[in-house]
Amino acid sequence: TGSFYPRRYLLSGFLVVKQVQHYLDEDKRLKLAKEFVKGAIHNSYKNLYQYKKQGKDVERSISALSNLLKEVDRATSIEYLMALEGNAKDWYYKAFGSFLGENFRLEKRVKRPPDNMTNSLISFGNSLVYSLCLSQIYHTQLDPTVSFLHEPGERRFSLALDIAEVFKPILSDRVIFRLVNNNMIKEKHFLKELNYVYLNEKGRRLFIEEFEKRLEQTIKHPRLNRHVSYRQLVRLECYKIIKHLVEDEKYKSYKSYW
């Protein structure tokens, strides 16, 4: 298993300068970071709202996400924004047990290593979304190492982490819901000798197949007035960030309307 990154071929010194300027300017950075958090919380809210309409007990989490979303505009620092996002994720994941069933109940998000089957699915799905966002960034002139919500660092494509926050709820999470609620993923798809915290080869293949199907699904884009796939939607998000950086149009993160 490996990751392959192309040499950068779409270079723009002008855009790199603009990107760095927005990172160094605290006010400009904060405006972009707020949009990533707004998109993440809104799309998580929409996921839970679908289950609320089915009568699932998710009201407390929905109420908490709604309040946290209002709080984003009042944030005055990146650190506070990250705290809001972390709090939102805690409430979001708490609701999973209401509609994923007892075997996939999630008490706490644990990453390294995942401590149960649901955490394993979330970690694997998030890694796919991150890779997707990075690949779409490479098709633009954006520099993947200069980010706004997450802190840039050595050997870290942190802009992909920023964009992934917006799309994890509507891509990987919805794949997880489909796999679990349709009884497609089971204990046999996890490595028993590692306490079921990692997917085995069949489990990974099943997840990736469903993830690819999700990426090829199309939705009616409200502004373009045509159908685009979810894969294209991520590329369009990159273009929106570029437009913001060159001061052509303010960036508004993608927010699911269903």
Side-chain angles (χ1 to χ4, degrees):
T1 302
S3 298
F4 300 90
Y5 303 107
R7 289 187 177 184
R8 295 175 61 190
Y9 67 99
L10 294 174
L11 298 175
S12 170
F14 173 74
L15 185 58
V16 171
V17 169
K18 285 289 187 181
Q19 220 173 317
V20 173
Q21 285 176 343
H22 277 72
Y23 167 76
L24 293 174
D25 186 307
E26 187 174 343
D27 184 56
K28 289 182 177 180
R29 179 184 178 185
L30 197 59
K31 286 179 180 177
L32 276 165
K34 284 181 179 180
E35 273 305 312
F36 293 126
V37 175
K38 284 180 180 179
I41 296 178
H42 173 92
N43 293 334
S44 299
Y45 175 97
K46 279 295 184 180
N47 281 354
L48 296 188
Y49 189 75
Q50 295 300 316
Y51 285 101
K52 177 187 175 183
K53 291 194 294 185
Q54 297 175 26
K56 304 299 182 181
D57 183 19
V58 296
E59 187 58 47
R60 286 187 65 206
S61 290
I62 282 181
S63 178
L65 289 181
S66 180
N67 291 332
L68 288 166
L69 190 56
K70 296 173 185 175
E71 190 68 24
V72 171
D73 280 327
R74 292 191 281 269
T76 57
S77 69
I78 297 296
E79 292 74 17
Y80 186 59
L81 265 183
M82 293 293 285
L84 286 176
E85 185 198 28
N87 197 0
K89 284 182 178 178
D90 287 343
W91 279 106
Y92 178 53
Y93 291 135
K94 281 178 184 177
F96 278 25
S98 300
F99 53 84
L100 290 184
E102 191 63 35
N103 288 341
F104 288 90
R105 184 175 294 277
L106 187 66
E107 299 297 333
K108 182 181 179 181
R109 177 76 177 109
V110 178
K111 300 178 183 179
R112 300 182 183 90
D115 65 346
N116 57 40
M117 292 187 292
T118 307
N119 271 314
S120 176
L121 290 172
I122 294 171
S123 292
F124 188 70
N126 287 353
S127 71
L128 294 180
V129 177
Y130 168 78
S131 297
L132 168 70
C133 292
L134 182 58
S135 70
Q136 296 306 309
I137 289 172
Y138 270 118
H139 286 286
T140 73
Q141 295 176 321
L142 287 169
D143 188 319
T145 65
V146 181
S147 53
F148 307 99
L149 176 62
H150 296 84
E151 197 65 41
E154 292 184 10
R155 303 179 63 184
R156 179 171 175 169
F157 300 109
S158 47
L159 183 60
L161 294 174
D162 285 358
I163 299 172
E165 295 299 338
V166 176
F167 289 99
K168 284 187 288 190
I170 57 178
L171 294 179
S172 61
D173 290 351
R174 291 197 184 183
V175 169
I176 292 170
F177 303 159
R178 171 174 167 76
L179 288 172
V180 174
N181 289 329
N182 288 291
N183 205 28
M184 299 166 68
I185 199 91
K186 304 173 184 176
E187 283 190 8
K188 69 178 183 180
H189 293 112
F190 296 83
L191 294 170
K192 183 178 180 180
E193 60 272 22
L194 295 178
N195 297 321
Y196 299 101
V197 298
Y198 291 107
L199 286 162
N200 59 27
E201 184 178 348
K202 287 185 178 179
R204 291 194 299 272
R205 184 182 298 121
L206 177 61
F207 197 112
I208 291 170
E209 286 175 355
E210 290 302 315
F211 186 76
E212 286 295 324
K213 289 178 184 176
R214 178 69 177 170
L215 294 185
E216 296 309 313
Q217 288 180 6
T218 61
I219 60 169
K220 184 71 171 293
H221 195 283
R223 292 190 60 187
L224 298 180
N225 198 30
R226 63 180 174 86
H227 282 83
V228 299
S229 69
Y230 280 101
R231 192 191 304 275
Q232 292 171 318
L233 205 58
V234 177
R235 179 89 60 90
L236 291 172
E237 201 73 3
C238 295
Y239 291 146
K240 283 158 57 180
I241 294 171
I242 291 174
K243 286 184 177 181
H244 178 99
L245 294 174
V246 298
E247 300 175 0
D248 182 35
E249 186 176 326
K250 288 185 178 180
Y251 171 64
K252 296 293 183 183
S253 59
Y254 175 76
K255 298 175 180 68
S256 176
Y257 50 89
W258 64 277

